[in-house]
Amino acid sequence: MKHRPISLCIILLTSIYLLTGCWDQREIEERATILGLAIDIADKDKQPIPLTHPEGAEVPTSEIGKLEVTAQLAVPGQIPLGPSQGGSQGTSQDRVWVVKAVGQTIDDAIQGLQQQLAHKVFFGQLQIIILSEDVASKGVGHINEFLRRRPEIRRTAWMAVNEKDAAYTMQIAPKLERVPAIYLSTMFEEAVKLGKFPENDLGKYWVHTSNKGWDGFLPYITTKKTDNIEISGLAYFSGDKMAGKTKPYQIAYFNGLTGQNPGGAALVVKLSEDESVMVQSTKRKAKYKASLKKGKPHFDIDVEIWGIVRETNKQQLKLDNQRIVRKIEQTSGEMLEKEMLKLIQETQEKKADIFGFGEYVRGDLALYWNHEIKTSEKWKEIYQEMSVDINAKVNIQRVGMKAS
């Protein structure tokens, strides 16, 4: 019996720990859940509400000036949890609420959003962050710093650069998805699965930008008058500032150079003045070898692409002829070598190493890096002078089921 008080104490202490599991629980209806966030440079005539500083006080702005933040919030009880029954209930505008605020910094603008909402803002379901091209060109360091301090923001969210007005993307209501912000994030995820875009969610973007020898890139999107959005290229950065953007077709060359899988991009291969075929990649492989040539970094890149013939522009083009297939492979390889080298040179001009060449130098030529480079700023200078040789090989796996 003398051990009974000890046993009771242990049970009571254990029970207390179990009771703490929901001490900070909050009902979903008591949260202002932000699904999408757009960030623009604020117009000069728009002034923030003086919430964090006295009215009239001269408060420093962010590194890029005053910001306008547009948030797409979920309307409690209106977000569908499964397939609709008996047709769609309501419109996208009924399921989300768009709110705007201006601030000296991004957090100041978020405070302005909070002032308009009854419940605390919650970033745990944030799907997409859209930056205007003006914001991206002036620098996203301050924005990334704010986002990385919010532990509830998922690294699987996406960040993208819009051609003009980022806020407009929060108003678009695509027909294929009931929640616009979810549609945007799904568009990027599906593009990755289809081999149309490299895997690059928010977490991977931050990993790239944290390395000394690697610059980040983001999806570059344009909006259409038909309430739709299109992936129009890669917005590539030098440090934390957008340095340039690729053409839509150059995404495929980037995917090939970085060995992104699965394949999926299509390529028109011109065989003669009036003959061409459409080749689609199914698998990609890239191998980098770093060396020093005349005291400067040099890279030999072997790219191998496996693909299928999707169509020919002429019925007379007989693909049962191995000579024709070999010509398609050779012509495709030569075209890839030319265009891939052109893409690398464009990024070299802008000092934007989005391929991670610097990380290969840090690893394979560590002594050279430690003595001659040391910093990311120095690498950007060296990157402009780096030489590259590309060997691209294309393997046609199938030419289709049509009888010749």
Side-chain angles (χ1 to χ4, degrees):
M1 295 296 292
K2 65 180 181 179
H3 296 294
R4 189 172 181 180
I6 298 175
S7 300
L8 287 172
C9 288
I10 293 174
I11 293 172
L12 287 172
L13 288 171
T14 304
S15 300
I16 290 172
Y17 281 111
L18 292 174
L19 290 172
T20 63
C22 298
W23 70 272
D24 64 342
Q25 68 87 26
R26 185 186 294 269
E27 296 295 333
I28 191 170
E29 291 84 1
E30 298 175 0
R31 284 175 167 168
T33 302
I34 295 179
L35 301 175
L37 206 62
I39 304 173
D40 293 281
I41 302 294
D43 294 335
K44 293 181 180 179
D45 58 341
K46 292 183 179 180
Q47 297 298 326
I49 301 173
L51 297 171
T52 60
H53 54 274
E55 189 172 5
E58 293 188 7
V59 180
T61 63
S62 71
E63 296 172 343
I64 58 178
K66 287 186 301 182
L67 299 173
E68 182 177 63
V69 171
T70 306
Q72 188 180 108
L73 296 100
V75 176
Q78 295 298 316
I79 301 296
L81 300 178
S84 61
Q85 300 295 326
S88 175
Q89 301 296 320
T91 64
S92 297
Q93 287 84 354
D94 296 327
R95 300 186 182 98
V96 297
W97 182 28
V98 176
V99 183
K100 294 186 178 185
V102 174
Q104 305 285 19
T105 65
I106 185 169
D107 195 35
D108 190 30
I110 296 297
Q111 296 300 320
L113 288 177
Q114 182 66 77
Q115 195 74 0
Q116 304 174 53
L117 304 171
H119 302 299
K120 183 179 179 180
V121 294
F122 177 61
F123 288 95
Q125 296 296 329
L126 184 64
Q127 303 289 318
I128 185 77
I129 303 152
I130 306 292
L131 310 174
S132 70
E133 188 169 343
D134 283 344
V135 169
S137 298
K138 289 185 176 182
V140 297
H142 158 251
I143 295 169
N144 282 326
E145 196 267 349
F146 166 79
L147 295 173
R148 295 177 79 162
R149 287 181 182 274
R150 306 295 297 238
E152 71 270 31
I153 292 179
R154 301 180 183 184
R155 271 49 179 169
T156 54
W158 282 81
M159 183 184 284
V161 177
N162 189 40
E163 181 182 22
K164 293 180 181 177
D165 184 5
Y168 179 64
T169 60
M170 296 294 104
Q171 307 282 354
I172 290 178
K175 306 298 183 184
L176 296 180
E177 176 58 58
R178 304 178 218 178
V179 182
I182 295 177
Y183 173 82
L184 289 172
S185 64
T186 301
M187 179 177 70
F188 297 131
E189 292 168 1
E190 290 301 313
V192 172
K193 292 178 184 178
L194 292 172
K196 302 288 188 180
F197 197 83
E199 192 172 359
N200 189 56
D201 56 23
L202 192 58
K204 290 182 174 58
Y205 168 70
W206 284 342
V207 168
H208 291 171
T209 56
S210 297
N211 291 319
K212 293 181 179 180
W214 208 331
D215 286 303
F217 66 90
L218 294 173
Y220 185 81
I221 61 175
T222 52
T223 52
K224 303 297 181 181
K225 293 181 180 179
T226 55
D227 263 8
N228 202 6
I229 293 175
E230 176 181 278
I231 300 176
S232 300
L234 301 176
Y236 53 85
F237 289 72
S238 179
D240 67 353
K241 294 182 180 180
M242 179 178 164
K245 55 183 181 285
T246 71
K247 300 291 191 296
Y249 62 86
Q250 290 180 306
I251 298 175
Y253 304 135
F254 178 87
N255 285 343
L257 280 166
T258 54
Q260 301 284 331
N261 282 301
L267 177 72
V268 175
V269 181
K270 184 178 178 181
L271 301 178
S272 64
E273 287 297 325
D274 58 350
E275 292 179 330
S276 65
V277 297
M278 181 75 76
V279 176
Q280 179 178 326
S281 63
T282 57
K283 183 182 176 183
R284 310 178 181 102
K285 184 179 179 182
K287 184 179 180 181
Y288 289 47
K289 183 180 179 181
S291 61
L292 291 176
K293 182 180 286 189
K294 297 181 180 179
K296 299 292 182 181
H298 172 81
F299 275 85
D300 291 294
I301 306 176
D302 292 319
V303 177
E304 193 163 6
I305 308 288
W306 291 263
I308 59 175
V309 176
R310 293 290 301 269
E311 70 171 357
T312 65
N313 73 325
K314 287 194 172 183
Q315 285 187 330
Q316 294 82 1
L317 198 57
K318 303 298 182 181
L319 298 184
D320 58 343
N321 186 331
Q322 285 300 307
R323 184 179 61 82
I324 299 297
V325 175
R326 297 287 87 80
K327 184 177 181 181
I328 294 173
E329 293 176 336
Q330 180 180 354
T331 306
S332 302
E334 291 172 353
M335 180 180 178
L336 288 174
E337 290 174 1
K338 178 183 176 182
E339 293 298 328
M340 287 177 173
L341 184 59
K342 180 181 177 182
L343 176 58
I344 292 174
Q345 290 171 343
E346 287 177 4
T347 64
Q348 285 181 291
E349 291 175 4
K350 301 294 180 64
K351 302 181 181 181
D353 181 8
I354 57 174
F355 304 94
F357 287 112
E359 291 303 297
Y360 284 97
V361 174
R362 286 183 69 193
D364 297 343
L365 305 172
L367 289 176
Y368 174 79
W369 178 281
N370 293 334
H371 285 88
E372 302 293 334
I373 302 176
K374 299 180 182 178
T375 66
S376 59
E377 290 74 18
K378 180 65 175 178
W379 168 245
K380 296 182 191 307
E381 302 295 331
I382 298 296
Y383 179 58
Q384 288 188 301
E385 304 171 5
M386 183 191 77
S387 58
V388 179
D389 287 328
I390 300 175
N391 176 42
K393 181 181 179 183
V394 176
N395 304 300
I396 300 298
Q397 297 174 297
R398 299 195 305 275
V399 296
M401 298 177 62
K402 178 180 178 298
S404 298

